[in-house]
């Protein structure tokens, strides 16, 4: 295959054949096709798009570039979820034990945070001792024994996506629907679950800034996953403000624990209930989402969700005292600075992306892979969009071990809040369910 001919074909907006796509992916993974040719392809695909058949073949070739996890030794229905990335998004920490508590099996591979969005592995690693590097045998055994395990994605899973994503990040080709959908679905298919819920974010903190764009992505994710024989559904949710009250690793674990105890923020719980109910219906363990919600509040209020989370923490070597006493045991920053409200009014919006970037400056995130994270760093926002605030109220609390960064970041945090004299209608958290 002449790679430049394939590039010209995509540049001119023509669809590629199965052979051409498969050769492109296998050649890139083996090193026969250099970065500059793949970068040219990605830009052409970004501009000209890929049709449904091309996207399917592209995704399949990515799945086949590595190992597909065989979850068949685990009895029961295996469920998975994927978020397109948000700020303050600690959903997995609550949703995964919720699903295990209702009897579904959660064999979940998660990622690390990059850019302004956080990652589940970093949050879990803020619990002293928590091990995300399980062997395949440990992973399967733990899910069989207690119904839940969360580990890091291994090098063997979807190596094509790792290499391609690294290039997309550097070539301004991330926000393309077929490229995002193939990247996400290839990892989920390789992860082996039967039922998948996609948590597609729309708004200032998300890849998809508008609801229309998010809908297109959600439809593509669901139909692509179904083409691989998966049960799939997407929930489109509002990422025009951070989810919950905290951004940053141990701060988010603390909030997740509070939520599992019944004291969490309404938005986090609402999203977990919606995602969980969709999974339960698609898995066929309840007939309606209403019934699913009833079951979910039963397990949450009965303490079974927190008990599952604790079982997982113990099984993966984490210190369970972090759950009993998160403020005492989880890492915390030495310096805390408050930003106060200057003028009374209603919070109209809280720019999630700006707060995500600010939390990264404070130490909570990475600029590039391999950067050290400060687990205690982050931001707490006690007030949310729609709330009325008075001068002197705390708008945000910044946590960091770097006093210079606190001073340098406070303007950015302050500017993330838009406060107006008159109240505004606040958009709903859940926009739409795409089946
Ligand atoms: N998340 C992914 O896993 N891949 C993308 O391309 C975008 C978000």
């Amino acid at each position: 295959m002449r790679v430049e001919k394939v590039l010209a074909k995509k540049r001119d907006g023509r669809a590629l054949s199965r052979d051409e796509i498969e050769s492109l992916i296998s050649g890139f993974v083996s090193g026969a096709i250099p970065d500059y040719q793949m970068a040219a392809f990605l830009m052409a695909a970004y501009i000209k798009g890929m049709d449904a058949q091309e996207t399917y073949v592209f995704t399949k070739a990515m799945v086949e570039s590595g190992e597909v996890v065989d979850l068949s030794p685990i009895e029961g229905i295996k469920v998975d979820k994927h978020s397109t990335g948000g700020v303050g998004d600690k959903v997995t920490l609550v949703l995964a034990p919720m699903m295990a508590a209702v009897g579904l099996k959660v064999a979940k591979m998660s990622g690390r945070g990059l850019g302004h969005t956080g990652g589940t592995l970093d949050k879990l690693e803020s619990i002293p001792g928590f091990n995300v590097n399980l062997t395949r045998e440990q992973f399967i055994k733990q899910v069989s024994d207690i119904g839940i395990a969360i580990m890091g994605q291994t090098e063997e899973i979807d190596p094509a996506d790792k290499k391609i994503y690294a290039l997309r990040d550097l070539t301004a080709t991330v926000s393309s629907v077929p490229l995002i959908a193939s990247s996400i679905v290839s990892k989920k298919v390789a992860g082996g679950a039967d039922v998948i819920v996609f948590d597609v974010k729309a708004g200032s903190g998300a890849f998809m800034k508008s609801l229309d764009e998010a809908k297109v992505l959600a439809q593509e994710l669901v139909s692509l996953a179904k083409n691989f024989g998966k049960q799939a559904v997407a929930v489109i949710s509002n990422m025009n403000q951070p989810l919950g009250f905290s951004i940053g690793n141990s701060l988010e674990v603390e909030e997740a624990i509070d939520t599992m105890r019944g004291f969490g923020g309404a938005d986090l719980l609402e999203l977990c209930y919606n995602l969980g109910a969709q999974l339960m219906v698609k898995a066929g363990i309840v007939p309606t989402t209403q019934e699913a919600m009833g079951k979910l509040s039963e397990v949450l209020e009965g303490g079974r969700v927190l008990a599952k989370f604790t079982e997982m923490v113990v099984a993966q070597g984490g210190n369970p005292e972090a759950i009993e006493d998160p403020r005492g045991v989880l890492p915390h920053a030495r310096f805390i600075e408050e930003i106060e409200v200057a003028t009374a009014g209603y919070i109209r919006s809280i720019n999630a992306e700006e707060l995500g970037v600010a939390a990264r400056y404070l130490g909570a995130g990475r600029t590039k892979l391999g950067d050290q994270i400060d687990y205690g760093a982050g931001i707490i926002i006690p007030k949310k969009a729609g709330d009325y605030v008075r001068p002197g109220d705390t708008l945000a609390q910044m946590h960091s071990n770097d006093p210079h960064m606190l001073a340098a970041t406070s303007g950015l945090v302050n500017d993330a809040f838009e406060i107006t004299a008159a109240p505004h209608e606040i958009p709903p958290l859940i926009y739409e369910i795409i089946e």
Side-chain angles (χ1 to χ4, degrees):
M1 180 188 77
R2 292 276 303 279
V3 180
E4 51 277 33
K5 279 199 165 167
V6 176
L7 299 181
K9 202 169 162 186
K10 185 49 45 196
R11 179 200 63 201
D12 297 341
R14 286 181 291 142
L16 301 186
S17 70
R18 177 179 295 271
D19 269 2
E20 287 166 334
I21 292 173
E22 285 174 352
S23 307
L24 199 63
I25 300 265
S26 61
F28 182 56
V29 173
S30 72
I33 294 178
D35 282 3
Y36 54 82
Q37 284 185 313
M38 186 47 110
F41 167 76
L42 292 169
M43 187 55 84
Y46 183 97
I47 294 167
K48 300 291 179 173
M50 289 200 282
D51 66 24
Q53 175 65 12
E54 284 178 291
T55 309
Y56 172 73
V57 174
F58 194 78
T59 309
K60 189 159 180 285
M62 293 216 283
V63 173
E64 289 168 358
S65 72
E67 188 189 337
V68 176
V69 182
D70 176 15
L71 297 179
S72 63
I74 302 167
E75 273 181 39
I77 304 162
K78 278 76 77 176
V79 298
D80 201 351
K81 78 77 103 138
H82 187 92
S83 155
T84 57
V87 176
D89 183 357
K90 66 277 294 172
V91 165
T92 295
L93 300 180
V94 180
L95 180 64
M98 262 181 165
M99 294 300 92
V102 297
L104 293 169
K105 297 293 159 73
V106 185
K108 181 145 182 53
M109 295 200 177
S110 285
R112 297 194 180 278
L114 191 61
H116 71 277
T117 62
T120 300
L121 293 187
D122 300 316
K123 294 172 210 217
L124 287 171
E125 281 181 340
S126 72
I127 301 171
F130 195 99
N131 175 25
V132 298
N133 300 312
L134 304 180
T135 64
R136 188 56 38 82
E137 292 69 32
Q138 287 170 325
F139 184 59
I140 301 279
K141 181 169 185 326
Q142 186 177 316
V143 180
S144 298
D145 290 348
I146 64 169
I148 179 170
I150 302 177
M151 67 177 282
Q153 195 185 299
T154 60
E155 290 302 313
E156 291 78 33
I157 303 279
D158 205 344
D161 179 62
K162 279 193 197 75
K163 265 192 104 172
I164 291 172
Y165 195 88
L167 261 190
R168 286 170 57 208
D169 216 20
L170 300 172
T171 53
T173 52
V174 170
S175 56
S176 137
V177 167
L179 294 180
I180 295 178
S182 54
S183 162
I184 291 175
V185 172
S186 62
K187 286 186 290 249
K188 294 291 109 180
V189 171
D194 312 307
V195 187
I196 305 164
V197 64
F198 297 105
D199 178 8
V200 179
K201 313 285 194 190
S204 66
F207 280 123
M208 299 293 141
K209 304 290 178 205
S210 75
L211 179 55
D212 285 345
E213 287 173 296
K215 254 192 220 176
V216 173
L217 177 61
Q219 275 154 357
E220 184 74 33
L221 287 167
V222 171
S223 75
L224 196 50
K226 283 185 176 171
N227 283 340
F228 283 91
K230 305 291 176 188
Q231 292 277 357
V233 58
V235 175
I236 305 181
S237 66
N238 182 341
M239 192 27 79
N240 275 313
Q241 63 174 336
L243 191 63
F245 293 114
S246 58
I247 306 162
N249 299 287
S250 59
L251 295 174
E252 291 189 40
V253 170
E254 203 172 309
E255 184 182 352
I257 292 168
D258 281 347
T259 304
M260 288 184 268
R261 285 195 201 289
F263 307 117
D267 57 349
L268 173 61
L269 210 50
E270 185 186 346
L271 186 54
C272 291
Y273 269 61
N274 275 277
L275 293 165
Q278 291 298 332
L279 278 176
M280 290 165 74
V281 171
K282 281 274 172 275
I285 62 166
V286 284
T288 63
T289 51
Q290 208 178 0
E291 219 165 294
M293 303 249 188
K295 255 208 152 94
L296 288 174
S297 41
E298 211 178 284
V299 288
L300 192 82
E301 283 157 24
R304 281 157 57 198
V305 178
L306 189 64
K308 270 291 159 209
F309 183 74
T310 309
E311 274 183 74
M312 173 180 75
V313 167
V314 171
Q316 295 189 225
N319 181 356
E321 284 170 27
I323 298 163
E324 282 305 306
D325 177 19
R327 282 156 197 84
V329 177
L330 292 174
H332 281 93
R334 278 178 299 140
F335 305 104
I336 297 177
E337 191 175 306
E338 303 223 327
I339 296 194
E340 292 185 353
V341 175
T343 319
Y346 293 88
I347 300 182
R348 179 174 190 176
S349 63
I350 307 176
N351 189 305
E353 182 167 6
E354 284 174 14
L355 287 190
V357 170
R360 172 156 62 85
Y361 289 158
L362 295 173
R366 299 185 178 81
T367 306
K368 57 181 188 318
L369 236 94
D371 281 355
Q372 264 299 327
I373 276 198
D374 181 351
Y375 290 114
I379 300 172
I380 292 181
I381 46 165
K383 305 276 192 228
K384 303 293 298 264
D387 286 350
Y388 182 75
V389 288
R390 294 174 179 79
D393 283 353
T394 302
L395 206 50
Q397 205 182 53
M398 302 190 298
H399 294 232
S400 185
N401 285 308
D402 182 343
H404 302 294
M405 268 303 170
L406 277 176
T409 307
S410 60
L412 182 59
V413 173
N414 197 41
D415 291 349
F417 291 81
E418 187 188 353
I419 297 176
T420 54
H424 287 270
E425 202 176 322
I426 302 300
L429 175 69
I430 309 292
Y431 285 124
E432 211 166 308
I433 311 286
I434 306 281
E435 302 231 23

